[in-house]
Amino acid sequence: GQQLNQSPQSMFIQEGEDVSMNCTSSSIFNTWLWYKQDPGEGPVLLIALYKAGELTSNGRLTAQFGITRKDSFLNISASIPSDVGIYFCAGRIGVVGNTPLVFGKGTRLSVIA
Amino acid sequence: NAGVTQTPKFQVLKTGQSMTLQCAQDMNHNSMYWYRQDPGMGLRLIYYSASEGTTDKGEVPNGYNVSRLNKREFSLRLESAAPSQTSVYFCASRVNPAVGSNSGYTFGSGTRLTVV
């Protein structure tokens, strides 16, 4: 099946630092999504991207849909302790329809106060 | 709004036992999904239902069956549990993809299953 390569697998950062993570694929995706999972909870949608080159922000989070449509990145600025969790990228090949999302393996973020 | 509700939250089974994981959504979503999450493996799709009355296999369907009981409910059944099925199971639903551009999923809070 389709695979998304998400990196890094884990990060340990100081509070206040900026964070960057990315996802790449060998296939072209038409939708990129970024989710965050808090401990003991299900993933929650952070940002959705629908067009190549699209740059979208949600508070301190910024995500971009790569021009080649084979990658996406997520940046978090000025990290705070509540940013701790697992961040997943997800993508869909189909434009319309019910093609399920494919998920990356996640980036586990730890913030040191 | 409750969103996506999963029951039970925790379960311990003995090898060979059967059980059904329940999922219900109150958002009038057409599509529903079952994923399993294992350490270092991310979220892997087990089965999905694009609409009421249809189900399709995902990436890891072996050992599982599903039932889309009605538009709200989508259950996952383990007929003969195995230790390899120890995992966290997530149900998700999605708004009708023909409506607007919202294509993200809403997830439940998960069922933590241990098979001993």
Side-chain angles (χ1 to χ4, degrees), chain A residues 21-36:
Chain A
M21 60 191 77
N22 68 81
C23 258
T24 61
S25 172
S26 57
S27 300
I28 290 175
F29 282 76
N30 290 308
T31 302
W32 284 96
L33 303 150
W34 285 91
Y35 285 82
K36 182 194 177 193

Side-chain angles (χ1 to χ4, degrees), chain A residues 62-79:
Chain A
T62 302
Q64 184 160 29
F65 192 139
I67 291 292
T68 65
R69 295 199 286 165
K70 293 183 177 181
D71 60 350
S72 177
F73 72 76
L74 175 71
N75 286 343
I76 305 173
S77 63
S79 59

Side-chain angles (χ1 to χ4, degrees), chain A residues 5-45:
Chain A
N5 300 308
Q6 186 172 351
S7 64
Q9 286 186 322
S10 62
M11 303 179 73
F12 289 83
I13 62 169
Q14 294 280 347
E15 183 177 356
E17 288 184 349
D18 296 343
V19 174
S20 183
M21 60 191 77
N22 68 81
C23 258
T24 61
S25 172
S26 57
S27 300
I28 290 175
F29 282 76
N30 290 308
T31 302
W32 284 96
L33 303 150
W34 285 91
Y35 285 82
K36 182 194 177 193
Q37 183 181 28
D38 290 325
E41 298 295 330
V44 174
L45 182 65

